[in-house]
Amino acid sequence: MSQPLRVGNASGFYGDRFSAVREMLEGGPLDVLTGDYLAELTMLILGRSRLKDPEAGYASTFLRQMEESLGLAVERGVKVVANAGGLNPRGLAVKLRELAERLGVEVRIAHVEGDDLLGRAEKLGLDDSRYGAPLTANAYLGAWGIAECLKGGADIVVTGRVTDASLVVGPAAAHFGWARDDWDALAGATAAGHVLECGAQATGGNYAFFEEIYNVKPLGFPIAEIRSDGSSVITKHEGTGGNVTVETVTAQLLYEIGGPAYAGPDVTTRFDTIELAADGPDRVRIGGTKGTPPPPTTKVCLNHLGGHRNEMTFVLTGLGVEAKAELVKARMEAAFGDRRPARVEWTLVGTPAPDPATQGAGTALLRCAVLDPDAEKVGRSFSGAVVELALAGYPGFTMTSPPGKGGPYGVYTPAYVPNEVVEHVAVLPDGTRRVIPPAPSTVPLEAGAGRGVEGDGGDGAGTGEAVGEVTVAEADGAGRGVEVGGAVTGGVSVAEVDGVGRSVTGAEGVVAESAVVRVALGVVVGARSGDKGGDANIGVWARTDAQWRWLDGFLSVERFRELLPETRRHDVARYRLPNLRAVNFVVSGLLQEGCRPRRGSIRRARRSGSGCGRGWWTFRKN
């Protein structure tokens, strides 16, 4: 088997480009096409759908995509592996068989189940003291159920909650006949799967240096050419938009991770061993990845119904923006009376220009979000009180949306159960059920090592412990940040100036002002941020070895907090990834309870990388 296995991706989330499945099948040769449809928020949405219809609970978009492209996939001999089964993989498999029969397409369909722990949630201690029984409780299964289905002759495999990378690892393991303890090969495929899992983010989507990307055409979706040792080349179909470069791959590797030990159910992948190298236009080689046995526990995604929420946004224009904001707050507090919602959150967005050229430049937004177990407190009684200020509020009163009744919100939390309690089952095309045993050996993660994250949420680091090359800082009472353990190393070759730029000093003493230039940090380094349940991660990478030597010494936890002041009252863990010329910061609790208590939480996490690059510093011109 000297030829690589070409595995493509056609979906990074539930709602990604619908035409991507057909485009990937028509765009060039593939062996396997994967699709990632599940995030923690998606599981919440599917859980609410299942409450209304027990036969629902899967990603219906995938079924419509297969109606358009199933025949094409079979014609071209491309196997399809997707986690679109959500909370009901068996139900989706049934629907796919009905679809194939209606289309007259002969195809073998299998599914993977056993991730749903809801029926055993109380027994496994997964209930929450505040919210009671969970709405969904799903273990992150590994790749071996997928591999068993493919070895059993399946053309289409649908799963529930598996780790995102398993969609790639499973086909590779089946194709190359890997053993359960081929740790390095499994780790290499996991790295490739992590790059593919978010679709076009690997080809220039959400990329810090987006102006360098070929954006004339829609971005192509990524492909991994996986070899028998687990190494791979990341590429895309020729003629598609976007680019595959060492930096676009670096950015995606930094997305939603914790520390260098990226733990999954099949292998712990050492992200500090990954080696990247250009392999031609739009081709990046991933090699050198080392793996170790996985931990003895399996991560579980829990979603609870947290209550009800609503949100209204006021438009503040002209003079006295802060005074107008205070007036609104006072009026709304009076309107709440003795029925104030349990949580009222105010956020002032934007700073009007002092002499604006346009009305837009002189405008700020004041957002009010309310949350409460009682739907009535955050419903029309709240939004109606906002409307009543229309003729009795500040000058220029207006809102960004009409009043609404709000809706329920979910709370995501991770949990862990012993590997042995998870009943991982592959259901083959002929109905045969194959039980997948847990990993043959396990190794607990070191305390504070920063467990890896699979999917759009996860567990955070920031325990206050320093292990290996990690610096953890805890917020003190004044929010200044106190570094605990670990040292920030590396030579600093940056020159800093005081508040008005009068004096310039550097690691080597005084530097002439003519030798330095003041630019935004984001001009020099890139950043990629992601949400990890209630936590956020911000990975920052340098573009050259010289820049890395500077970045490693310069960007401490304290400087990170200067760039993102909203992190000052949160624990922050700093992890070094010298092989990627990167440091990764994990901010615990920045997004509160995760999933959907605040509509802007995930957006806030994903824009943190851009926020980190907005700070201005003085650099040597060379």
Side-chain angles (χ1 to χ4, degrees):
M1 294 186 180
S2 58
Q3 292 298 313
L5 182 73
R6 283 177 60 91
V7 181
N9 169 280
S11 176
F13 69 101
Y14 192 15
D16 212 340
R17 194 159 82 224
F18 183 88
S19 60
V21 170
R22 174 175 45 78
E23 292 168 7
M24 288 297 288
L25 291 170
E26 293 177 340
L30 284 178
D31 298 309
V32 182
L33 183 61
T34 66
D36 181 8
Y37 293 80
L38 300 184
E40 278 58 51
L41 177 58
T42 313
M43 302 301 279
L44 173 68
I45 294 170
L46 295 178
R48 293 183 60 200
S49 173
R50 189 171 62 175
L51 285 177
K52 300 174 183 177
D53 179 5
E55 296 302 312
Y58 54 80
S60 57
T61 298
F62 177 75
L63 195 60
R64 293 190 289 115
Q65 288 172 315
M66 287 296 97
E67 183 167 14
E68 178 181 87
S69 300
L70 181 61
L72 181 61
V74 172
E75 176 188 323
R76 302 211 168 185
V78 178
K79 296 185 182 296
V80 178
V81 180
N83 60 11
L87 301 176
N88 189 7
R90 180 198 62 80
L92 178 57
V94 169
K95 292 295 184 181
L96 285 168
R97 293 188 184 98
E98 293 174 355
L99 173 65
E101 184 176 358
R102 177 162 57 84
L103 296 177
V105 176
E106 187 174 336
V107 62
R108 292 162 295 184
I109 298 167
H111 73 276
V112 177
E113 61 186 34
D115 61 298
D116 195 341
L117 305 181
L118 189 61
R120 295 187 285 156
E122 183 178 3
K123 181 180 179 181
L124 294 173
L126 301 178
D127 288 357
D128 188 275
S129 58
R130 294 169 298 169
Y131 304 114
L135 174 66
T136 68
N138 296 82
Y140 286 81
L141 302 181
W144 292 102
I146 295 170
E148 196 66 31
C149 289
L150 293 170
K151 288 190 289 186
D155 302 305
I156 310 290
V157 181
V158 291
T159 76
R161 179 73 275 188
V162 298
T163 65
D164 299 342
S166 291
L167 301 174
V168 173
V169 179
H175 181 74
F176 294 114
W178 292 337
R180 293 292 299 266
D181 60 356
D182 282 336
W183 307 123
D184 291 349
L186 293 169
T190 297
H194 186 72
V195 173
L196 260 61
E197 70 182 51
C198 289
Q201 277 196 171
T203 62
N206 298 332
Y207 180 57
F209 305 105
F210 68 96
E211 292 171 304
E212 300 174 3
I213 299 298
Y214 175 65
N215 287 317
V216 175
K217 298 178 181 179
L219 299 186
F221 277 67
I223 298 167
E225 297 176 351
I226 305 174
R227 297 196 174 274
S228 59
D229 63 353
S231 64
S232 63
V233 170
I234 306 299
T235 185
K236 64 185 184 69
H237 283 320
E238 189 175 348
T240 57
N243 296 108
V244 178
T245 70
V246 168
E247 288 192 69
T248 65
V249 173
T250 296
Q252 178 55 25
L253 285 171
L254 294 174
Y255 181 66
E256 289 186 344
I257 65 169
Y262 187 86
D266 299 318
V267 64
T268 294
T269 303
R270 294 297 313 192
F271 270 47
D272 51 0
T273 64
I274 296 172
E275 299 172 359
L276 303 180
D279 193 51
D282 289 319
R283 294 177 63 83
V284 173
R285 186 171 65 254
I286 301 179
T289 311
K290 299 297 182 182
T292 60
T297 57
T298 296
K299 181 179 169 183
V300 181
C301 164
L302 297 176
N303 276 306
H304 294 82
L305 288 176
H308 299 266
R309 74 174 308 283
N310 205 347
E311 182 177 297
M312 295 291 286
T313 300
F314 303 84
V315 180
L316 311 177
T317 303
L319 301 175
V321 164
E322 292 184 358
K324 291 173 181 176
E326 291 304 314
L327 174 62
V328 170
K329 293 177 185 179
R331 293 287 178 85
M332 289 303 299
E333 288 294 339
F336 291 144
D338 59 1
R339 288 184 55 79
R340 190 180 194 274
R343 281 166 58 186
V344 179
E345 299 174 351
W346 294 96
T347 307
L348 185 61
V349 181
T351 302
D355 186 14
T358 65
Q359 182 170 293
T363 296
L365 300 177
L366 178 65
R367 183 169 59 235
C368 181
V370 292
L371 302 90
D372 198 277
D374 185 350
E376 293 297 324
K377 286 187 179 181
V378 301
R380 291 286 184 178
S381 61
F382 161 69
S383 57
V386 172
V387 172
E388 289 172 4
L389 293 177
L391 300 180
Y394 60 88
F397 176 96
T398 187
M399 303 171 297
T400 60
S401 64
K405 62 179 182 179
Y409 73 87
V411 175
Y412 160 79
T413 53
Y416 298 90
V417 297
N419 294 345
E420 294 73 21
V421 307
V422 179
E423 299 171 356
H424 188 174
V425 178
V427 183
L428 307 188
D430 64 0
T432 301
R433 298 175 64 84
R434 299 269 175 85
V435 176
I436 309 300
S441 61
T442 62
V443 175
L445 286 180
E446 294 178 326
R451 189 178 181 113
V453 178
E454 296 277 7
D456 277 327
D459 53 357
T463 61
E465 301 175 77
V467 178
E469 295 183 303
V470 54
T471 298
V472 181
E474 300 174 338
D476 68 2
R480 290 187 294 263
V482 181
E483 293 197 1
V484 181
V488 180
T489 61
V492 179
S493 60
V494 64
E496 300 176 36
V497 298
D498 67 4
V500 294
R502 287 178 300 221
S503 62
V504 185
T505 60
E508 301 168 4
V510 177
V511 180
E513 291 190 34
S514 61
V516 299
V517 61
R518 187 168 174 81
V519 297
L521 181 63
V523 173
V524 180
V525 299
R528 168 61 56 81
S529 54
D531 54 288
K532 295 159 50 67
D535 305 335
N537 93 289
I538 299 93
V540 184
W541 78 91
R543 313 194 76 181
T544 68
D545 290 340
Q547 289 176 353
W548 162 244
R549 289 191 293 272
W550 165 78
L551 176 68
D552 189 28
F554 174 76
L555 194 53
S556 63
V557 171
E558 191 56 42
R559 280 210 173 94
F560 175 79
R561 284 198 166 111
E562 290 180 39
L563 293 166
L564 293 172
E566 56 267 43
T567 68
R568 287 175 176 163
R569 294 192 177 276
H570 297 272
D571 290 353
V572 177
R574 180 188 192 268
Y575 299 100
R576 298 178 69 248
L577 295 164
N579 54 312
L580 300 178
R581 296 193 296 233
V583 288
N584 185 45
F585 296 89
V586 178
V587 186
S588 299
L590 182 66
L591 310 181
Q592 300 174 6
E593 294 173 298
C595 207
R596 208 178 185 181
R598 293 182 58 181
R599 190 172 298 168
S601 292
I602 291 176
R603 294 196 297 266
R604 181 183 182 187
R606 294 180 181 171
R607 67 175 181 255
S608 293
S610 294
C612 185
R614 73 187 176 219
W616 285 67
W617 303 91
T618 299
F619 300 89
R620 297 180 190 274
K621 287 184 178 178
N622 62 354

